[in-house]
């Protein structure tokens, strides 16, 4: 990372202001951005360098939850530059190339970050290619691409095909910010840096796996985007299926990017594809009451804001174990967790009361907001013959590492892209397989006469049909990470 220029396309947008600039500045404060680096913003507005610097600082003050060292900020801001141009115009890219030439000493690496709407991805990459800016004679060239990566299998294949005409796969960093979360990276550590979990991590001991990503927020002025995609494309194609892969994959041969990514692809290949008729049996898609009246939502919109889907993984480890995944907007709480529910003991010889409901063990990986791990197990109630009670063994990051120990996901991801470590980024084959799994589900729920969306109340835990999905198999949703009902 001796001399590097980070070029952010779409720097005037929300993502750059809320996440990218605050993450880059914090990396700088923490002395993680080594060597001579510059950050060049590129967008349509006619800003000056000074205007970009002012807006960048406002973003940090408003959105970053850390202390700003003003001396460091002063050094950092002088490395920020702005270039105005159009993503579709080759001449703007010729101008960009010339301006970068005059800013940089050679050799200089370049990280191009596409923080733009997806409709510009191929334009930008084509124009970079045409103007010689992917050429690696004077340092490496890498491109970070934000989601959404296509809207279905066909469009994802087309984007991959188009960008692979200009870039090699190892130059492409498809981002999924969930993979940058500390607690998500901890899934592999919990599984494979301990010996106590892995022997029981299979169909012989596990009854079902539940993955919940619940959001309290609604559209947050993003109706223009969200109403065209809905929850399955917005959350399942990337974040939730990534979580499923991490829980279900086999141990990779090494921690290297492609060894990890091979295992993730392998497990997704084993996820059962549903036929049109099976979709209804294994999924519930819903919409929160009042969604249709939100600003920017099209009349009578059929966009799902909630989904609960039961997946099966057809391999030796997981045959017969349901993976229940759910995510929704406008839910009772913001909460992401993975609950592994173990089977009940095969025989209970204790003199328990009739109809006693025995609770089996659960291991809960608490991703946010109260990051940690909970293990529930049975203990004897004192002064009874053999009455049992579930108790909780808890680990909280904040108790061990301090309140502010968890960095923003974008810090890890930006740093990894700069270091050339693609382990936490999505490979092209993975992005296509995820669509292969979800396309039939999205398609089957598109016809409201055949599959009407289940309506759920705001601030609830989703539609009752999603509870029935589990109840039908004698399971129920578990909140493993807190004191929920
Ligand atoms: C994004 C989705 O990828 O993830 C948003 O586009 C969603 O709709 C967000 O709100 C959730 O991320 P987090 O980190 O807040 O759980």
């Amino acid at each position: 990372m001796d001399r590097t220029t980070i070029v952010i396309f779409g720097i005037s947008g929300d993502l750059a202001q809320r996440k990218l600039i605050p993450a880059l500045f914090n990396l700088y404060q923490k002395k993680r951005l080594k060597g001579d680096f510059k950050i060049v913003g590129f967008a349509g507005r006619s800003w000056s360098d000074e205007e970009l610097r002012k807006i960048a600082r406002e973003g940090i003050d408003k959105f970053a939850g850390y202390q700003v060292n003003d001396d460091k900020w002063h050094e950092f801001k002088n490395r920020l530059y702005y270039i105005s141009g159009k993503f579709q115009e080759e001449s703007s890219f010729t101008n960009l190339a010339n301006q970068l030439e005059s800013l940089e000493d050679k050799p200089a690496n370049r990280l191009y970050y596409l923080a733009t709407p997806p409709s510009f991805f191929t334009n930008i990459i084509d124009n970079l290619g045409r103007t010689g800016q992917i050429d690696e004679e004077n340092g490496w060239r890498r491109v970070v691409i934000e989601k959404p990566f296509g809207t279905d299998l066909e469009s994802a294949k087309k984007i991959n095909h188009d960008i692979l005409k200009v870039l090699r796969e190892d130059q492409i960093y498809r981002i999924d910010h969930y993979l940058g979360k500390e607690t998500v990276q901890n899934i592999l550590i919990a599984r494979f840096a301990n010996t106590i979990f892995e022997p029981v991590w299979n169909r012989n001991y596990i009854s079902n796996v539940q993955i919940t990503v619940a959001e309290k927020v609604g559209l947050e002025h993003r109706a223009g985007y969200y109403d065209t995609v809905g929850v399955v494309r917005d959350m399942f194609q990337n974040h939730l299926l990534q979580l499923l892969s991490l829980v279900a994959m086999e141990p990779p041969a090494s921690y290297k990017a492609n060894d990890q990514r091979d295992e993730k692809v392998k497990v997704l290949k084993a996820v059962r594809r549903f036929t049109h008729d099976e979709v209804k049996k294994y999924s519930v898609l819903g919409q929160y009451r009042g969604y249709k009246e939100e600003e920017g939502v099209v009349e009578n919109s059929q966009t799902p804001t909630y989904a609960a889907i039961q997946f099966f993984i057809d391999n030796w480890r997981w045959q017969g174990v349901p993976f229940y995944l759910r995510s929704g907007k406008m839910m009772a709480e913001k909460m992401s967790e993975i609950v592994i529910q173990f089977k009940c003991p095969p025989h209970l010889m204790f003199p328990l009361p009739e109809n006693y409901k025995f609770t089996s063990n659960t291991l809960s990986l608490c991703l946010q907001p109260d990051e940690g791990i909970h293990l529930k197990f049975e203990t004897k109630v004192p002064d009874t013959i053999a009455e049992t009670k579930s108790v909780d063994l808890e680990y909280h990051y904040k108790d061990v590492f301090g309140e502010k120990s968890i960095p923003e996901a974008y810090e890890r991801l930006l740093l990894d892209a700069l270091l050339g470590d693609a382990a936490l980024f999505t490979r092209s084959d993975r992005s296509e397989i995820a669509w292969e799994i979800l396309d039939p589900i999205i398609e089957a729920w598109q016809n409201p006469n055949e599959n009407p969306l289940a309506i759920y109340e705001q601030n609830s835990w989703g539609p009752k049909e999603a509870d029935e999905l589990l109840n039908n198999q004698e399971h129920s949703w578990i909140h493993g990470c807190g004191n929920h009902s």
Side-chain angles (χ1 to χ4, degrees):
M1 222 199 280
D2 288 333
R3 209 177 282 134
T4 306
T5 309
I6 303 167
V7 182
I8 302 179
F9 294 98
I11 190 118
S12 56
D14 233 29
L15 178 73
Q17 216 201 1
R18 280 172 187 264
K19 300 286 184 188
L20 303 181
I21 304 277
L24 285 166
F25 177 58
N26 210 24
L27 287 173
Y28 182 69
Q29 289 199 124
K30 294 195 225 167
K31 301 197 172 67
R32 300 276 179 86
L33 281 188
K34 303 245 166 62
D36 177 14
F37 75 92
K38 296 186 172 65
I39 299 170
V40 175
F42 181 104
R45 299 185 196 187
S46 47
W47 284 350
S48 62
D49 294 345
E50 277 315 316
E51 273 167 304
L52 171 63
R53 291 168 186 173
K54 184 169 154 282
I55 282 164
R57 177 64 200 248
E58 282 167 12
I60 292 171
D61 288 340
K62 202 155 154 205
F63 301 113
Y66 52 70
Q67 279 275 313
V68 174
N69 173 327
D70 278 321
D71 293 340
K72 289 277 169 213
W73 165 251
H74 199 74
E75 289 165 23
F76 179 85
K77 83 171 177 128
N78 290 327
R79 295 162 182 263
L80 284 177
Y81 302 89
Y82 184 77
I83 296 172
S84 159
K86 291 209 164 63
F87 304 137
Q88 311 94 311
E89 265 180 21
E90 194 175 321
S91 58
S92 293
F93 283 74
T94 311
N95 178 42
L96 173 68
N98 294 336
Q99 303 248 20
L100 291 177
E101 282 277 309
S102 59
L103 274 178
E104 286 169 340
D105 294 318
K106 288 204 182 78
N109 306 313
R110 286 204 202 145
L111 184 73
Y112 300 111
Y113 198 116
L114 274 49
T116 68
S119 51
F120 293 117
F121 293 168
T122 24
N123 280 142
I124 295 172
I125 292 170
D126 271 354
N127 280 328
L128 284 172
R130 280 211 203 99
T131 50
Q133 298 186 76
I134 298 294
D135 194 279
E136 293 196 310
E137 246 166 61
N138 281 307
W140 53 252
R141 301 291 181 257
R142 296 180 192 139
V143 178
V144 181
I145 303 181
E146 265 293 333
K147 69 174 249 289
F149 201 78
T151 50
D152 56 13
L153 177 59
E154 204 183 319
S155 56
K157 275 189 168 160
K158 173 146 181 23
I159 305 176
N160 279 333
H161 176 261
D162 290 350
I163 64 179
L164 283 165
K165 280 197 236 159
V166 183
L167 297 159
R168 298 186 311 273
E169 178 64 38
D170 66 276
Q171 292 177 293
I172 307 171
Y173 288 69
R174 295 175 195 78
I175 214 159
D176 178 330
H177 78 281
Y178 264 62
L179 296 184
K181 289 182 190 277
E182 194 64 45
T183 45
V184 172
Q185 292 164 57
N186 196 36
I187 299 172
L188 288 193
I189 304 287
R191 288 189 58 195
F192 300 127
N194 295 297
T195 48
I196 54 173
F197 300 127
E198 199 45 28
V200 294
W201 207 264
N202 56 51
R203 65 188 303 276
N204 299 326
Y205 295 92
I206 293 179
S207 145
N208 66 91
V209 176
Q210 305 184 8
I211 302 179
T212 298
V213 177
E215 295 191 85
K216 204 163 166 48
V217 295
L219 289 180
E220 296 182 297
H221 310 292
R222 292 163 77 221
Y225 156 73
Y226 192 85
D227 198 41
T228 61
V229 294
V231 66
V232 181
R233 293 187 173 105
D234 187 46
M235 298 295 288
F236 279 69
Q237 195 274 347
N238 35 67
H239 315 324
L240 276 97
L241 283 184
Q242 285 285 4
L243 297 177
L244 174 141
S245 305
L246 290 165
V247 173
M249 69 198 246
E250 295 302 315
S254 81
Y255 212 51
K256 290 201 186 101
N258 274 337
D259 286 343
Q260 291 195 44
R261 302 200 291 182
D262 286 347
E263 290 304 335
K264 287 186 184 169
V265 163
K266 196 168 100 194
V267 76
L268 286 187
K269 282 186 181 162
V271 170
R272 191 179 304 167
R273 312 309 196 242
F274 295 140
T275 61
H276 185 86
D277 292 339
E278 280 170 333
V279 169
K280 182 74 203 227
K281 186 166 170 207
Y282 295 124
S283 64
V284 174
L285 268 59
Q287 192 181 69
Y288 64 79
R289 194 180 299 287
Y291 175 79
K292 290 190 177 64
E293 284 76 62
E294 298 268 26
E295 199 189 326
V297 168
V298 302
E299 209 182 324
N300 212 14
S301 169
Q302 286 304 311
T303 300
T305 60
Y306 174 95
I309 307 175
Q310 173 178 353
F311 290 101
F312 295 95
I313 302 177
D314 291 324
N315 62 18
W316 274 59
R317 188 189 280 263
W318 294 116
Q319 191 55 239
V321 179
F323 279 69
Y324 302 112
L325 274 55
R326 65 173 168 167
S327 179
K329 294 226 180 262
M330 283 287 186
M331 297 188 61
E333 272 177 43
K334 179 175 174 71
M335 185 266 282
S336 304
E337 63 180 42
I338 298 170
V339 178
I340 316 291
Q341 183 169 35
F342 290 89
K343 293 186 171 174
C344 280
H347 171 64
L348 291 169
M349 76 290 203
F350 313 109
L352 296 168
E354 220 176 300
N355 298 327
Y356 182 83
K357 203 166 171 326
F358 193 83
T359 326
S360 62
N361 302 137
T362 55
L363 177 73
S364 304
L365 308 175
C366 310
L367 308 182
Q368 55 190 24
D370 184 6
E371 294 87 354
I373 296 181
H374 291 225
L375 177 65
K376 278 210 170 68
F377 62 97
E378 294 302 290
T379 191
K380 179 177 173 296
V381 177
D383 209 14
T384 63
I385 294 175
E387 219 170 280
T388 68
K389 180 176 166 50
S390 293
V391 290
D392 203 355
L393 212 57
E394 298 179 32
Y395 152 60
H396 298 272
Y397 277 74
K398 60 176 184 301
D399 297 344
V400 178
F401 297 106
E403 277 294 341
K404 298 249 151 117
S405 56
I406 301 213
E408 245 299 315
Y410 277 93
E411 288 184 25
R412 170 86 270 138
L413 294 171
L414 280 160
L415 196 58
D416 280 3
L418 288 165
L419 295 170
D421 183 348
L424 302 180
F425 295 83
T426 302
R427 211 168 54 189
S428 60
D429 48 351
R430 186 269 167 211
S431 71
E432 293 178 15
I433 292 173
W435 286 121
E436 235 173 74
I437 295 168
L438 297 173
D439 276 0
I441 301 173
I442 295 170
E443 190 267 327
W445 280 93
Q446 235 143 30
N447 179 354
N449 298 324
E450 191 188 4
N451 286 325
L453 294 175
I455 300 298
Y456 63 100
E457 301 306 325
Q458 297 185 15
N459 300 317
S460 74
W461 283 106
K464 65 174 183 345
E465 288 84 345
D467 297 338
E468 288 158 11
L469 181 73
L470 274 67
N471 298 161
N472 292 342
Q473 334 216 16
E474 302 195 356
H475 296 142
S476 52
W477 293 109
I478 296 168
H479 292 290
C481 294
N483 304 315
H484 312 263
S485 55

